[in-house]
Amino acid sequence: MSTHRRINVAKIGDVTVVKFLDKKILDEANIQELGLELFSLIEHDNRKSILLNFSDVEFLSSAALGKLITLDRKVKASKGRLKMSNIRPEIFEVFQITKLNKVFDIRNDESEAVAAF
Amino acid sequence: MDHHSPLNDAAKKSAGNELGSWQREIDLPSERGASRIVMDDLLEQLGIHGWSPSDIFSIHLAAEEAIVNAIIHGNKLDPSKKVHVSCLISVDLARIEVTDEGSGFDPGSVPDCTLADRLEMPGGRGVMLMRTFMTRLEYSDRGNRVLMEKQRTSE
């Protein structure tokens, strides 16, 4: 099993639930590492159903959005499914302004998201 | 009293608080993560001046995006170049000016990241977030300096 420094990975049934270890996702080097860890879930671990739970995330920058967009593309290319949940209002506003709420499948909480796979 | 003398920072800060505003001018190195040098103080001062968590989030995001753009796109991480940051925080106004030593850019040339065919492409989001979250956003003619202001949101 691979070790992660930026994320915590658990399983609920067939769904891989990812939580972020950084409250603030803004440091360029950490975002780079975060991207690699997320992409490896698909490219190395072959996970098909991935839920990103943002409950511990207080802040993220546009560089982090870029990684989420790339992750979404990689999941779609591998015929997997990606959902997101527990996004606090300020961060949801960031998704709305950039219209990424139309690209990503965003659910209120973890149980609703898991049930929707 | 000589206001231009480099009195110690603590004296300057407490005087600023009595007058209702806090000011800071600082040169940051062109390194990833350098925004941290000024951001902790900026966020603390917004709290001291009674800004709401939602407004603090907006200003934090805009300042972070502006400084990262200046370091990476403006100065292109050149260690011989600095990013100059000037902040003014009062109870109802936050003004942040970020100047880099790069050749500048045309803010009008940043693609609209919300267009359907660009939604999933990187780039353009930082400037769009700054524009939306702040009350005023102005670039210098050359494009190497950005002035951002936010008026406090009435509750």
Side-chain angles (χ1 to χ4, degrees), chain B residues 32-101:
Chain B
R32 294 180 195 276
S35 63
R36 220 179 284 151
I37 296 166
V38 67
M39 203 62 75
D40 288 348
D41 282 349
L42 179 64
L43 297 179
E44 187 192 355
Q45 288 296 326
L46 287 166
I48 288 171
H49 285 83
W51 288 72
S52 70
S54 162
D55 277 346
I56 293 176
F57 179 95
S58 301
I59 296 163
H60 183 186
L61 187 65
E64 183 70 29
E65 299 288 344
I67 294 171
V68 167
N69 280 347
I71 291 171
I72 294 178
H73 302 300
N75 287 352
K76 301 191 192 305
L77 295 164
D78 180 342
S80 72
K81 293 178 175 172
K82 300 281 184 215
V83 170
H84 186 74
V85 180
S86 165
C87 308
L88 168 76
I89 305 295
S90 70
V91 289
D92 53 8
L93 179 74
R95 177 189 293 144
I96 299 156
E97 194 177 58
V98 179
T99 309
D100 63 55
E101 298 179 41

Side-chain angles (χ1 to χ4, degrees), chain B residues 51 54-56 58-59 92-95 132-136 148-153:
Chain B
W51 288 72
S54 162
D55 277 346
I56 293 176
S58 301
I59 296 163
D92 53 8
L93 179 74
R95 177 189 293 144
T132 309
F133 277 133
M134 301 302 274
T135 318
R136 176 179 171 212
M148 306 184 287
E149 283 183 0
K150 188 167 182 69
Q151 302 279 348
R152 186 174 182 156
T153 307

Side-chain angles (χ1 to χ4, degrees), chain A residues 27-28 59 62 69 73, chain B residues 32 36 60 65 120 125:
Chain A
D27 183 285
E28 286 281 320
F59 188 92
S62 68
I69 292 163
R73 281 212 216 123
Chain B
R32 294 180 195 276
R36 220 179 284 151
H60 183 186
E65 299 288 344
E120 297 187 37
R125 286 190 186 82

